[in-house]
Amino acid sequence: MSNAIEYRLGWTTTSISNQRGVAGAAAYVSIPLEQKEWVPKSAEPEPYAKVIPRPTLAQWERDASYRKRMYEALFRQDFKDVRLRIEPNARLSLTLTSSRISQMSRAVGRAARTALLLAPLETTEISVTFTTGGLPVATYEFSDLRKLNRYFNGLLTRSELAESVSIRYAAPSSYSEKDKADLMAALEEPTQARVLYGGEGNYIGFKSQDTGFNVFQVRPTLSSYLNGPNVFQYSLGVLTTYDRELAERLFLSTGVNTILYENISQALGVNNSTLPHVRSDFGEYAKGPRVRLDRLLLNRVYQPSERNYARLSGGWLEQMYGGVGGQWLYVERGEPWAFDVSVEAVKQRDFDGRFGFRDYQTVTALAAMHYRLPYQSTFTCARAASSPGISGAVRSQTALSHRNGTGRVVYGHRRRGHGSGEGK
């Protein structure tokens, strides 16, 4: 007599069985390649294409429902942090970002299509400023709305439309403060909560996000160490994160890691080096409590001028370090390269995964040159870092990444270094 029990969740199937007294267990993953969207969120949201009577400018200003209709249409396409303005010259200005469309030009095109279908009849121009992480990146201006309408209807080629489109680097003033209408529209839109299979690089996870930057996520984590005394040493846990925009361009990032099972702490011996060491103490960190603080920090971002961006951070940055730091990014006009430099003063965290610190501290500096290769969305980056607090430790790294049409990234790097200790 044989019997078995099987359980299925998403792509995963597990089973236990008893076949004539012989016990067995099996687990496997089945990827449904024949389904149209077998990886959720790899497909872009459907564009807004509903044709309804457009209001006059007087109706738009008198009746808030017309403005609300445009907000809702943008939110339904997963646009976030939406700011909507009608300027005195009947110019419609949109500021937004997208969590689903990886290519900026495509995201702007979706927003422009929505605005064209719902804007007041007297609208003369449409301006769309795209942002990343609360900072404006580029502004697209459509000066001939008749041509834009013909293009969306398939009656005009892209080259013919290009004559009436201008693209420029976004100025700091293009990211205006949210007014009452922006805030009320965001508050009225329900928060999206869903279970994701294979979304955003995670096998499975739960995510809840509003129309801005406030995100709550729960997802499994797996970290491994393959060079230990055992064949396979690993740590399996659940990471819970909460990110919130506390004020304009001020963000809180938190994370708590709950360890379900690990055998990394069973590694033989301890690190007896007299040189500074932090990363190689991973076995000591693995011995910490099951529930531990992963991160708790504040990030404040700035745009001092066009093509210049900056960040200040402070708090418990990650599992092993806490401290303060800053970064400055410069983007050259009309060129495929950018340069950034970051400096951090950090201190080693205690092994218990709470709020305490150990004695070791250091200052690190990292300079990076980014270059976009002339092959689709392929980028290379060269980095050089120095840690004066670690006996002159210096390291360099060369990285290559490629982003495909769905926004997924393939990444590889090569690292070299010298000096005493390992530092950060």
Side-chain angles (χ1 to χ4, degrees):
M1 179 178 179
S2 301
N3 50 67
I5 299 177
E6 183 178 271
Y7 179 75
R8 296 182 181 182
L9 175 63
W11 303 349
T12 316
T13 300
T14 59
S15 65
I16 56 175
S17 63
N18 187 316
Q19 300 184 28
R20 298 180 180 180
V22 179
Y28 63 90
V29 175
S30 177
I31 301 177
L33 296 173
E34 295 181 356
Q35 293 185 14
K36 182 179 180 181
E37 296 179 21
W38 62 275
V39 178
K41 298 184 77 66
S42 66
E44 297 175 349
E46 291 295 325
Y48 182 84
K50 187 177 180 180
V51 179
I52 57 175
R54 294 168 55 190
T56 64
L57 185 58
Q59 290 174 323
W60 175 278
E61 294 176 345
R62 185 172 59 250
D63 190 348
S65 65
Y66 294 108
R67 180 190 295 259
K68 180 180 178 182
R69 183 184 297 166
M70 185 176 293
Y71 279 116
E72 291 176 346
L74 293 168
F75 291 149
R76 293 294 186 271
Q77 298 170 80
D78 274 352
F79 285 105
K80 306 293 184 183
D81 196 33
V82 177
R83 298 151 196 247
L84 175 61
R85 304 286 184 274
I86 290 288
E87 299 177 6
N89 58 353
R91 182 173 181 263
L92 176 63
S93 176
L94 283 174
T95 303
L96 44 73
T97 189
S98 175
S99 61
R100 290 283 300 276
I101 305 175
S102 62
Q103 295 182 358
M104 179 171 61
S105 58
R106 290 186 61 81
V108 169
R110 293 291 182 89
R113 175 197 288 265
T114 304
L116 184 64
L117 291 173
L118 297 175
L121 291 169
E122 295 89 340
T123 303
T124 57
E125 298 180 9
I126 293 177
S127 171
V128 181
T129 297
F130 193 83
T131 69
T132 299
L135 292 172
V137 177
T139 298
Y140 290 67
E141 295 179 339
F142 303 89
S143 58
D144 192 330
L145 299 190
R146 291 185 177 179
K147 282 189 175 182
L148 184 61
N149 186 55
R150 288 173 56 83
Y151 172 76
F152 285 135
N153 289 329
L155 303 176
L156 209 65
T157 64
R158 181 175 298 183
S159 59
E160 292 173 319
L161 174 67
E163 301 172 358
S164 61
V165 180
S166 65
I167 306 173
R168 56 181 173 82
Y169 294 100
S173 58
S174 62
Y175 193 72
S176 58
E177 294 187 1
K178 287 185 177 180
D179 62 14
K180 182 178 179 180
D182 297 326
L183 294 171
M184 292 305 297
L187 290 173
E188 292 175 2
E189 187 69 14
T191 299
Q192 296 181 354
R194 51 196 166 193
V195 176
L196 304 178
Y197 298 99
E200 302 178 0
N202 303 309
Y203 176 68
I204 187 174
F206 171 81
K207 180 178 181 180
S208 175
Q209 183 174 11
D210 64 6
T211 57
F213 298 110
N214 304 325
V215 185
F216 174 78
Q217 290 190 86
V218 180
R219 59 184 184 271
T221 62
L222 175 65
S223 56
S224 62
Y225 174 57
L226 302 178
N227 196 29
N230 300 323
V231 176
F232 180 58
Q233 297 181 141
Y234 65 96
S235 175
L236 179 65
V238 175
L239 179 63
T240 303
T241 62
Y242 180 62
D243 301 316
R244 184 174 184 82
E245 184 179 17
L246 300 178
E248 196 78 11
R249 297 183 177 178
L250 177 63
F251 302 93
L252 171 69
S253 179
T254 67
V256 174
N257 200 2
T258 303
I259 304 301
L260 303 178
Y261 177 81
E262 62 84 20
N263 61 5
I264 295 179
S265 60
Q266 300 171 12
L268 298 179
V270 295
N271 191 331
N272 58 5
S273 172
T274 59
L275 296 174
H277 51 81
V278 177
R279 296 300 185 194
S280 56
D281 287 335
F282 64 90
E284 297 299 321
Y285 284 99
K287 296 176 182 178
R290 288 190 176 274
V291 179
R292 58 193 69 171
L293 179 68
D294 184 75
R295 65 178 183 268
L296 174 60
L297 68 148
L298 290 173
N299 290 306
R300 178 65 164 88
V301 294
Y302 305 86
Q303 188 187 17
S305 60
E306 182 184 292
R307 297 177 290 108
N308 283 270
Y309 303 91
R311 169 189 57 82
L312 291 177
S313 301
W316 291 261
L317 306 178
E318 44 118 309
Q319 180 189 16
M320 299 183 182
Y321 281 101
V324 296
Q327 183 180 21
W328 170 71
L329 170 68
Y330 172 76
V331 180
E332 177 63 17
R333 181 185 297 276
E335 299 294 335
W337 63 268
F339 173 81
D340 81 87
V341 60
S342 60
V343 179
E344 293 175 302
V346 295
K347 195 170 184 179
Q348 182 183 5
R349 290 179 57 186
D350 273 343
F351 297 141
D352 60 10
R354 292 173 182 153
F355 298 98
F357 291 90
R358 298 175 63 82
D359 293 334
Y360 176 75
Q361 58 186 357
T362 187
V363 176
T364 66
L366 174 67
M369 175 70 74
H370 311 267
Y371 187 83
R372 179 170 182 171
L373 299 176
Y375 173 71
Q376 297 181 2
S377 298
T378 304
F379 300 84
T380 184
C381 175
R383 298 185 177 96
S386 175
S387 299
I390 320 178
S391 304
V394 178
R395 63 183 183 274
S396 63
Q397 176 177 305
T398 303
L400 185 69
S401 64
H402 172 73
R403 178 188 294 269
N404 63 19
T406 68
R408 302 186 182 277
V409 177
V410 179
Y411 174 84
H413 73 269
R414 182 176 185 270
R415 180 180 296 177
R416 299 181 64 185
H418 66 81
S420 302
E422 54 184 284
K424 191 171 184 297

